[in-house]
């Protein structure tokens, strides 16, 4: 592979830091950094991802590691010089940006059943298998061609917190080792139905999530296939 493009935010971002430190030295990288707009703060009962702003700035990382860093004002300014691109952080990309590029994303849910935001929470809430989908980006949301689905293991002693940590680690691993999936694509859940594009989970559903978690784990082990089967 000639050059791997990393698409991210021009802001402190933990997932970007973790990917850059894992990919540097293995690939020749170009980093394209989009403007970041801080979302309004919202109270959640359960935070399933670590604080993404608790990280070094990608520009500092690139300067120290000798990685070309390109801040861009709009995604259409991302050039097509890279053989492949990985999403470390971005909103929905424009059709102009997508044109002529192969762009891989690691979605923290099993596509096509778990689409949209808070995929970890909604997967448990709706009794869906838990995993990370490496897929190509197209104009649809979380619906592009699937390369691989890497399941997240669930254990009897898990809490929501321990499972969320392992699931996030799976997301980082899947992206950082994308070559393995390209060489050996796999999908243990090939026949899941299409799901709706979900929004952030509300507080009422979060309270129900905690109540449903024990049943979710039990279904995983009763099913014997690493996922709970269809919701009852």
């Amino acid at each position: 592979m000639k050059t791997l493009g990393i698409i991210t935010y021009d802001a402190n971002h933990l997932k970007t830091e973790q990917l850059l430190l894992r990919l540097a030295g293995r690939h020749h990288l170009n980093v394209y950094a989009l403007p970041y707009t801080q979302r309004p703060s919202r109270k959640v009962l359960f935070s399933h991802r670590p604080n993404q702003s608790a990280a070094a700035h990608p520009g500092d990382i690139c300067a120290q590691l000798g990685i070309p860093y390109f801040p861009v004002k709009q995604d259409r300014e991302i050039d097509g010089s890279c053989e492949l691109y990985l999403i470390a952080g971005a909103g929905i990309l424009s059709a102009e940006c997508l044109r002529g590029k192969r762009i891989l994303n690691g979605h923290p849910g099993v596509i096509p059943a778990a689409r949209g935001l808070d995929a970890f929470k909604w997967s448990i809430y709706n009794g869906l298998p838990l995993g990370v989908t490496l897929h190509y980006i197209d104009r649809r949301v979380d619906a592009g061609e699937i390369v691989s689905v890497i399941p997240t293991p669930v254990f009897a002693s898990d809490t929501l917190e321990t499972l969320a940590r392992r699931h996030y680690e799976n997301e980082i691993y899947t992206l950082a080792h994308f070559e393995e999936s390209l060489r050996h694509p796999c999908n243990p859940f090939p026949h899941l139905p299409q799901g709706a594009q979900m929004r952030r989970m509300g507080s009422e559903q979060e309270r129900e999530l905690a109540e449903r978690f024990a049943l979710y784990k039990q279904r995983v082990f009763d099913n014997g296939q690493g996922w709970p089967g269809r919701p009852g």
Side-chain angles (χ1 to χ4, degrees):
M1 183 174 294
K2 295 179 181 178
T3 302
L4 176 66
I6 305 297
I7 300 174
T8 187
Y9 297 116
D10 191 23
N12 301 55
H13 192 240
L14 178 61
K15 183 177 175 181
T16 302
E17 174 188 308
Q18 292 169 313
L19 285 176
L20 290 178
L21 294 179
R22 286 162 174 77
L23 292 169
R26 292 167 42 205
H27 297 278
H28 182 270
L29 304 175
N30 282 353
V31 174
Y32 302 89
L34 294 161
Y36 177 73
T37 301
Q38 182 69 43
R39 295 191 183 101
S41 61
R42 57 188 293 270
K43 186 176 181 180
V44 296
L45 300 179
F46 168 62
S47 181
H48 63 292
R49 295 171 73 81
N51 179 6
Q52 291 295 297
S53 65
H57 193 281
D60 294 337
I61 299 171
C62 289
Q64 187 160 328
L65 297 180
I67 298 170
Y69 185 75
F70 303 101
V72 295
K73 293 181 179 179
Q74 296 178 312
D75 64 10
R76 66 181 182 219
E77 298 175 27
I78 298 172
D79 63 45
S81 63
C82 300
E83 184 177 349
L84 183 70
Y85 298 78
L86 289 183
I87 299 290
I92 297 175
L93 299 176
S94 69
E96 188 173 354
C97 175
L98 295 176
R99 192 174 299 119
K101 299 183 181 73
R102 297 167 63 228
I103 305 177
L104 280 174
N105 180 51
H107 175 66
V110 179
I111 294 174
R115 301 170 55 233
L117 302 174
D118 285 358
F120 172 83
K121 294 180 181 180
W122 286 117
S123 294
I124 294 172
Y125 187 89
N126 291 321
L128 296 171
L130 196 59
V132 177
T133 305
L134 188 70
H135 69 106
Y136 287 104
I137 295 284
D138 62 18
R139 296 186 67 177
R140 302 167 296 169
V141 175
D142 297 334
E145 177 191 347
I146 294 172
V147 175
S148 282
V149 176
I150 311 302
T152 299
V154 181
F155 300 104
S157 56
D158 269 327
T159 63
L160 277 170
E161 289 76 13
T162 61
L163 185 55
R165 173 192 54 76
R166 189 176 310 115
H167 188 60
Y168 178 75
E169 291 170 352
N170 186 15
E171 181 182 346
I172 300 300
Y173 180 91
T174 298
L175 273 173
H177 296 83
F178 69 94
E179 314 101 303
E180 295 178 11
S181 290
L182 291 175
R183 286 194 297 265
H184 306 290
C186 66
N187 183 1
F189 313 110
H191 303 301
L192 291 178
Q194 175 88 16
Q197 181 183 338
M198 304 303 288
R199 298 179 179 272
R200 296 288 182 195
M201 181 175 281
S203 56
E204 182 177 344
Q205 286 83 13
E206 279 194 295
R207 283 189 286 270
E208 293 179 29
L209 177 70
E211 297 170 0
R212 294 185 183 202
F213 183 55
L215 180 58
Y216 181 87
K217 289 195 295 181
Q218 187 59 53
R219 284 176 173 165
V220 168
F221 304 121
D222 287 349
N223 182 271
Q225 298 176 11
W227 72 288
R230 295 184 181 275

